[in-house]
């Protein structure tokens, strides 16, 4: 698949997904993605994007810390 931004080649890898919720920063590690070998841009499948939304929603509803680090495989379970 070609990168949406630079048209470089993508490869299946894992990456980090980071979102700032204002009161908390959520870092999800080892997220499956297509990562561009030229510019580093990551794109997620619909299934992975939905799971990321669920993980972020769960953290948002239980804010206990300023930084939450979640392992994708554990959050997807």
């Amino acid at each position: 698949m070609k990168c949406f931004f630079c048209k470089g080649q993508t490869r299946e890898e894992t990456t980090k997904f980071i979102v700032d919720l204002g009161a908390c920063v959520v870092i999800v590690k080892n997220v499956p993605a297509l990562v561009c070998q030229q510019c580093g841009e990551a794109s997620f499948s619909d299934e992975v994007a939905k799971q990321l939304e669920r993980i972020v929603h769960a953290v948002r509803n239980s804010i206990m810390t300023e930084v939450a680090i979640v392992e994708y495989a554990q959050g997807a379970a």
Side-chain angles (χ1 to χ4, degrees):
M1 184 173 162
K2 298 275 186 185
C3 175
F4 177 76
F5 292 102
C6 75
K7 308 301 183 218
Q9 289 295 324
T10 59
R11 183 170 62 193
E12 289 186 21
E13 296 181 6
T14 58
T15 189
K16 294 178 192 81
F17 176 78
I18 302 170
V19 63
D20 185 346
L21 300 177
C24 177
V25 175
V26 180
I27 302 168
V28 185
K29 301 184 330 181
N30 297 316
V31 180
L34 288 174
V35 179
C36 178
Q37 300 304 293
Q38 185 169 307
C39 73
E41 182 68 26
S43 60
F44 305 106
S45 69
D46 290 343
E47 180 181 327
V48 170
K50 287 178 187 177
Q51 184 58 35
L52 288 170
E53 287 179 15
R54 285 192 283 274
I55 292 169
V56 170
H57 182 72
V59 171
R60 178 183 285 138
N61 288 338
S62 65
I63 293 179
M64 297 178 271
T65 183
E66 290 184 23
V67 177
I69 302 174
V70 180
E71 179 70 37
Y72 179 82
Q74 292 174 349

